């Protein structure tokens, strides 16, 4: 059996990100950055959540494997906004069935 190289999940963000954590201006601005376009990930955004998940889990995995700094995650991620119950049910069923696909060799 081939090992899976990704995972699926549904993340529910309730309310506006700006209501959760105010946007702070980046302290690290490049020469062509401005206060309206700071460099970095916006706090409380989906990007910040994924960035933290990858960072924390990579450190823990590398600690367990004694492989400090080894890359764990691919660079990007795929996102999709679930807009109705039909999509919710279809995506939830796909996520639940996905591990079975790995067992039978139907990779998705």
């Amino acid at each position: 059996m081939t090992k899976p190289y990704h995972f699926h999940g549904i993340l529910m963000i309730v309310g506006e990100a700006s209501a959760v954590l105010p946007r702070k201006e980046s302290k690290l601005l490049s020469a062509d950055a401005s206060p309206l376009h700071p460099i970095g990930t916006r706090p409380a955004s989906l990007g910040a959540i994924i960035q933290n998940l990858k960072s924390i889990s990579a450190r823990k995995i590398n600690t367990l494997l004694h492989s400090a700094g080894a890359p764990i995650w691919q660079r990007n991620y795929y996102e999709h906004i679930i807009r109705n119950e039909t999509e919710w049910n279809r995506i939830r069923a796909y996520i639940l069935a996905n591990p079975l696909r790995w067992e039978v060799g139907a990779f998705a």
Side-chain angles (χ1 to χ4, degrees):
M1 177 175 94
T2 304
K3 292 182 181 180
Y5 57 84
H6 67 278
F7 73 94
H8 299 269
I10 297 174
L11 177 64
M12 295 176 68
I13 301 175
V14 180
E16 292 288 325
S18 60
V20 176
L21 186 63
R23 184 174 185 157
K24 296 179 182 176
E25 297 306 327
S26 175
K27 292 179 182 175
L28 302 172
L29 296 175
S30 72
D32 45 310
S34 75
L36 297 176
H37 302 285
I39 304 297
T41 306
R42 183 178 179 154
S45 66
L46 177 60
I49 293 167
I50 299 298
Q51 183 179 36
N52 282 301
L53 170 88
K54 287 181 172 184
S55 177
I56 292 166
S57 60
R59 280 193 301 259
K60 289 186 181 218
I61 291 166
N62 281 324
T63 297
L64 290 170
L65 298 177
H66 305 289
S67 58
I72 301 295
W73 297 106
Q74 67 184 26
R75 182 177 168 98
N76 291 319
Y77 60 93
Y78 173 76
E79 65 182 79
H80 173 77
I81 297 172
I82 299 172
R83 299 194 183 274
N84 57 51
E85 191 171 348
T86 302
E87 273 191 276
W88 171 264
N89 290 326
R90 178 183 56 79
I91 292 168
R92 187 173 57 179
Y94 176 85
I95 290 170
L96 290 171
N98 196 258
L100 298 173
R101 288 187 178 97
W102 282 96
E103 288 185 22
V104 298
F107 313 117

